[in-house]
Amino acid sequence: MSHSDSHSHTALIWKVFAFLSLITIVEVILGIAKPKSLYLTHFLGTSPLNWIFIILTLVKAYGIAWYFMHLNDEKTWFRRSIVWPVVFLIMYLSFFLLYEGGALQDILHSITKWQ
């Protein structure tokens, strides 16, 4: 490996680090601030803030797979065969978690006094 190759990999690692750090910082700020306009409204069964967290988490997972699993060097359909099932599985599990959580809240709402 030549010196220029290692330098380009170092620069790439720093770019990926900055990308993942930026997304994480946005998630932490939103988690701490919890804007009422995003937290107290409902969209597709949950708050828009939850959807933002789910989408940002998927973007981070895709970025990690893209760079650290070296999917950017693979053929297009091989990448898709790895990434798409995972994305759809996460969306499927998120849907049922949010749906069943809402149903459980409706059932227990008369018993609990959390809200």
Side-chain angles (χ1 to χ4, degrees):
M1 180 182 285
S2 69
H3 179 68
S4 63
D5 288 340
S6 65
H7 177 69
S8 66
H9 287 292
T10 304
L12 177 65
I13 290 172
W14 280 109
K15 288 177 186 175
V16 172
F17 174 74
F19 171 72
L20 295 174
S21 296
L22 179 68
I23 293 176
T24 302
I25 289 168
V26 169
E27 287 178 334
V28 169
I29 289 171
L30 285 173
I32 291 172
K34 241 187 216 182
K36 291 185 187 284
S37 62
L38 295 175
Y39 178 63
L40 296 177
T41 58
H42 286 283
F43 177 71
L44 294 175
T46 188
S47 69
L49 186 62
N50 283 346
W51 285 114
I52 291 171
F53 285 140
I54 291 169
I55 292 167
L56 288 177
T57 302
L58 286 172
V59 168
K60 278 188 355 183
Y62 187 78
I64 289 168
W66 183 261
Y67 291 107
F68 294 119
M69 292 177 61
H70 306 287
L71 290 180
N72 56 340
D73 297 330
E74 299 295 338
K75 293 187 184 253
T76 303
W77 283 104
F78 182 69
R79 285 193 309 250
R80 290 177 184 167
S81 69
I82 291 173
V83 172
W84 286 0
V86 174
V87 168
F88 289 128
L89 177 64
I90 291 171
M91 289 171 42
Y92 176 77
L93 293 174
S94 298
F95 168 76
F96 277 107
L97 179 70
L98 295 170
Y99 180 77
E100 292 298 329
L104 186 61
Q105 180 184 8
D106 292 343
I107 292 170
L108 296 177
H109 185 67
S110 62
I111 300 171
T112 59
K113 298 183 182 189
W114 295 335
Q115 291 182 334

